[in-house]
Amino acid sequence: MSATIALVDDDRNILTSVAMTLQAEGFSTRVYADGEAALKALTDNPPDLVVSDIKMPRMNGLELLRRLREATDVPVIMLTSKDDEADEALGLDLGADDYITKPFSPTLLVARIRAILRRSATVASRAQDEADSEVVRGDLALDAERHRVVWRGHEVRLTVTEFLILEALAQRPGVVKTRNQLLDAAYGDDGFVDDRTIDSHIKRIRRKFRTADGEFDGIKTLYGAGYRFAAD
């Protein structure tokens, strides 16, 4: 069964051309002209992945992303303006899995989509092995089968990318993981991702945990080296 990709953009030419490209690659597509039109449909019936522009009327892509993250963990790729680092950083901070700057090549977009879908499949395949389906480290429990994260009895909702980063840290508590090692764990062979993207994901993971536990300090920063998970 082919993966379903939702496209959200107020530029009809982009919607049409990208939809045709993805369909030629074997994907099913759903298209929406703005965030407001997309929100209910994507919340009620999440696709396998969302590609959304940021600058749109009625409801922009960042607000759409924020609202989606309140209801679903569907992977999201944001389309940003060229060299607009503020949009990129804010998108990642709100929970985007990846971003691509306009103008972009269809080949790059397809590669990014496939990379994220592979990450989702990685989490699902790990869950099939009962021995590896749950990781418990101190107050943290990671259940890949249910894509569930619990900290001190409180569930913490993470995206696929965030889950893989946390899992990589939790597998060996106390061991420092470099940004490149975390990139490998979360993005695999996708060489288009900047290692500073990890910093944005770590920031959001911490924020989510601190919503559940205001004193959470389980992810330590080792400046110049990377990050480590402290089980105690």
Side-chain angles (χ1 to χ4, degrees), residues 30 56 65 79 126 134 137 142 170 187 207 213 222:
R30 291 156 51 185
M56 296 183 294
L65 174 61
L79 303 179
R126 287 177 185 172
E134 187 170 15
R137 298 290 185 267
L142 293 171
Y187 287 87
R207 181 180 301 151
D213 175 5
L222 284 300

Side-chain angles (χ1 to χ4, degrees), residues 93-185:
D93 192 45
L94 288 172
D97 291 86
D98 205 347
Y99 62 86
I100 297 179
T101 56
K102 290 183 176 183
F104 58 88
S105 74
T107 301
L108 175 61
L109 177 59
V110 170
R112 293 292 186 88
I113 289 172
R114 292 195 187 282
I116 292 177
L117 293 177
R118 281 198 302 271
R119 302 205 299 268
S120 299
T122 296
V123 172
S125 65
R126 287 177 185 172
Q128 293 176 4
D129 184 347
E130 286 190 12
D132 294 330
S133 66
E134 187 170 15
V135 175
V136 178
R137 298 290 185 267
D139 294 316
L140 175 70
L142 293 171
D143 188 339
E145 183 177 2
R146 298 170 179 79
H147 190 82
R148 190 165 184 258
V149 179
V150 175
W151 173 261
R152 294 182 177 175
H154 299 282
E155 185 167 358
V156 181
R157 295 183 57 177
L158 300 182
T159 66
V160 170
T161 305
E162 293 163 355
F163 187 96
L164 289 172
I165 290 171
L166 180 61
E167 182 182 50
L169 290 169
Q171 283 173 344
R172 299 188 66 191
V175 175
V176 177
K177 296 278 189 175
T178 67
R179 290 187 181 90
N180 284 336
Q181 288 173 319
L182 294 175
L183 276 176
D184 288 342

Side-chain angles (χ1 to χ4, degrees), residues 8-11 14 18 50-56 60-63 65 76-105 108-109 112 192 197 200:
V8 189
D9 200 310
D10 62 324
D11 188 324
I14 290 179
V18 172
V50 175
V51 178
S52 176
D53 190 23
I54 287 184
K55 293 178 170 59
M56 296 183 294
N60 66 33
L62 294 174
E63 177 62 14
L65 174 61
V76 178
I77 296 177
M78 303 302 298
L79 303 179
T80 70
S81 301
K82 184 176 176 59
D83 298 326
D84 195 337
E85 294 184 358
D87 279 350
E88 294 169 6
L90 185 53
L92 290 170
D93 192 45
L94 288 172
D97 291 86
D98 205 347
Y99 62 86
I100 297 179
T101 56
K102 290 183 176 183
F104 58 88
S105 74
L108 175 61
L109 177 59
R112 293 292 186 88
F192 300 103
T197 298
S200 294

